[in-house]
Structures are given as C-alpha cells and as structure tokens.
Amino acid sequence: MSSDIVITSPNRKQTMSQPYTRTNRSRLVLSLMLVALTLSLTSFKVQRDRMKCDWSAMVVALPNNEAEIRFTCNIPAGWFIYSKNMSEFDGPLPTSIEVDPSAHFELIGDMTESGSYVKWMEPSYNKEVTCLQKQARYTQKIKINTTDPFQIKASVNYMLNKKGDILQPDDENVIITVSGL
C-alpha cells in the first residue's frame, strides 16, 4: 500500500510516491506530540501572564462621621503578593494602595495590612521578603466631610510571586461610590 505526497512550489508541482510505514507513522505521532507540547507551554505562559489577584473594596460606617475603606485581595492559589510593609531596597515592589485626595473625606492615620504572612530569602534579590498568601486585607480609616453621595478612587500596585517566579507589577483602579452613611 502506498500514498502520494504532493509538494507544491510556486514554479512546479511534483508528486512522489512514498510507502506508508511504521517509521512514518511514528514520525507523525512524534510531530503531533511536539506540536501539542508547544501549544500547552504557550497556554501556560498566557495563563501565567494573565495571573491576577481579585480585588474588592467597600466602605463601612463608623460613629462620629468616620468610616473605614476596606480593600480585600484574593490571591491565586500557590501565589503570594509582597507586603506593603517591606523595607525599601533594590528588589520587588511592596504592595501600595494610594487613595486619591478628595474634599469629601480626609484620611485618618496610616493604612493597615493583615493576612497570612510568609517570609523567605529571595535569591533573585538576595534579600528576605515578606509576602501574604491566600487573602490580604487593607484598612484605611477616613473622616467624612459631607452628607452627599461621593466616590472614593484608589490605585493599587502589586507584584505576584510564586517562590522565584516573579511577575511584573500590576495596577488596579478602584472606585467606590459612597452614599447613605
């Protein structure tokens, strides 16, 4: 039994007869496996590049025209984000949350961070790093200066790490509409 292979070029068309053998079948299977492996590695890179935390925020009323802005970061399984409380050095960027100033409120004190902390020596930077895993919570107390509805705008910058697999910094913009406090 034989099959025909057609080779086409712009100037000519040639037909060759080649027997169908186990060697050719093995080469075909091997080629298909290599293509499948290449596609799965590409898929992993795309998923890794799209790896993000899931951020949410809300405002909780307190007595005396005060409130808390509560940011929650759900971190993908097996990944970590750098603590906002890391000392500054040449290395990964600590998580930062910047609340835009507004006449409708004023910040009271510093933002706090809580969650499950992990520390390790990061060989990429030859420094000890502090990270959070699973979920991180950030709280900023504010004094409200109005009874009208208003918006709180904030920018979040963070880096994901999977014990040596460090992703580029990512930015999230958060807008919270506040009314009825």
Side-chain angles (χ1 to χ4, degrees):
M1 173 186 272
S2 68
S3 62
D4 288 335
I5 299 176
V6 177
I7 301 172
T8 307
S9 73
N11 299 330
R12 64 188 175 133
K13 183 175 180 181
Q14 178 181 7
T15 303
M16 297 177 9
S17 186
Q18 179 179 4
Y20 182 77
T21 64
R22 284 186 185 211
T23 304
N24 291 337
R25 183 175 168 196
S26 297
R27 287 180 186 157
L28 176 63
V29 170
L30 181 60
S31 295
L32 290 173
M33 288 173 56
L34 288 173
V35 168
L37 178 63
T38 301
L39 290 174
S40 67
L41 290 175
T42 302
S43 174
F44 172 75
K45 182 180 182 338
V46 168
Q47 287 177 355
R48 185 182 151 272
D49 290 345
R50 292 184 182 166
M51 187 64 61
K52 289 181 167 258
C53 291
D54 180 26
W55 288 88
S56 61
M58 64 181 195
V59 175
V60 177
L62 300 174
N64 302 320
N65 291 334
E66 292 182 355
E68 285 181 343
I69 309 170
R70 295 181 183 171
F71 299 91
T72 302
C73 174
N74 290 308
I75 304 163
W79 289 85
F80 305 87
I81 63 169
Y82 294 102
S83 170
K84 75 176 218 55
N85 299 320
M86 281 194 335
S87 62
E88 299 214 10
F89 60 86
D90 289 336
L93 297 174
T95 297
S96 68
I97 301 175
E98 299 294 326
V99 178
D100 292 351
S102 170
H104 301 293
F105 64 90
E106 49 193 274
L107 302 178
I108 301 174
D110 294 329
M111 184 174 294
T112 61
E113 173 185 81
S114 61
S116 176
Y117 290 94
V118 179
K119 291 184 179 190
W120 71 83
M121 187 64 147
E122 181 59 61
S124 303
Y125 302 108
N126 197 29
K127 301 279 184 181
E128 182 178 75
V129 295
T130 303
C131 294
L132 291 103
Q133 60 185 344
K134 297 180 184 173
Q135 188 177 75
R137 291 169 301 284
Y138 302 89
T139 305
Q140 175 65 61
K141 198 170 184 181
I142 61 172
K143 175 80 170 174
I144 298 175
N145 299 329
T146 183
T147 56
D148 296 330
F150 62 96
Q151 288 186 330
I152 298 173
K153 296 179 181 178
S155 301
V156 179
N157 182 271
Y158 66 98
M159 290 178 71
L160 278 169
N161 178 320
K162 191 172 191 175
K163 297 268 181 160
D165 188 9
I166 303 168
L167 301 185
Q168 293 296 316
D170 201 2
D171 293 305
E172 301 279 343
N173 293 315
V174 178
I175 299 174
I176 311 164
T177 300
V178 180
S179 61
L181 290 182

